[in-house]
Amino acid sequence: ALLFITVYTADGFLNYVEDHCVFNSTKLDDIEFIRSYYYNKLEVTRFSSSVGKYVGYTEYGVRNAEYWNNLPGELSRMRNDHEAAL
């Protein structure tokens, strides 16, 4: 699996982003790209190439997902990141 982690800290709180790929079979089309956003070890928002959009898991994450899903070009950029990971 491919894994990238970016860590940010502010006022003692930990924010980080994790990118990884899930290999469900030997076919390249079946590789799922996931970008997860965490705040204090809790996943708040996720983009999954199999879902094709951002999903929020907390109130803050839902607001982020709604914003990013409606941001012009954002979902295309994430799909391009998925293609680049292949």
Side-chain angles (χ1 to χ4, degrees):
L2 181 64
L3 177 66
F4 297 101
I5 297 176
T6 307
V7 177
Y8 305 97
T9 60
D11 299 327
F13 295 101
L14 183 64
N15 295 299
Y16 61 99
V17 179
E18 176 186 275
D19 290 350
H20 66 277
C21 294
V22 178
F23 299 88
N24 298 314
S25 74
T26 58
K27 297 179 184 177
L28 288 179
D29 293 345
D30 290 339
I31 296 174
E32 180 183 17
F33 171 73
I34 298 172
R35 175 168 290 162
S36 298
Y37 295 83
Y38 291 87
Y39 180 74
N40 280 350
K41 300 181 183 179
L42 177 66
E43 184 176 25
V44 294
T45 312
R46 172 187 289 190
F47 174 86
S48 168
S49 63
S50 64
V51 175
K53 65 178 186 175
Y54 288 94
V55 176
Y57 298 107
T58 65
E59 182 180 337
Y60 174 71
V62 168
R63 286 194 315 262
N64 282 337
E66 288 174 0
Y67 174 76
W68 290 331
N69 286 333
N70 292 303
L71 193 64
E74 177 62 19
L75 295 179
S76 295
R77 184 182 68 80
M78 291 305 295
R79 287 186 200 106
N80 289 339
D81 285 355
H82 171 240
E83 293 298 320
L86 297 177

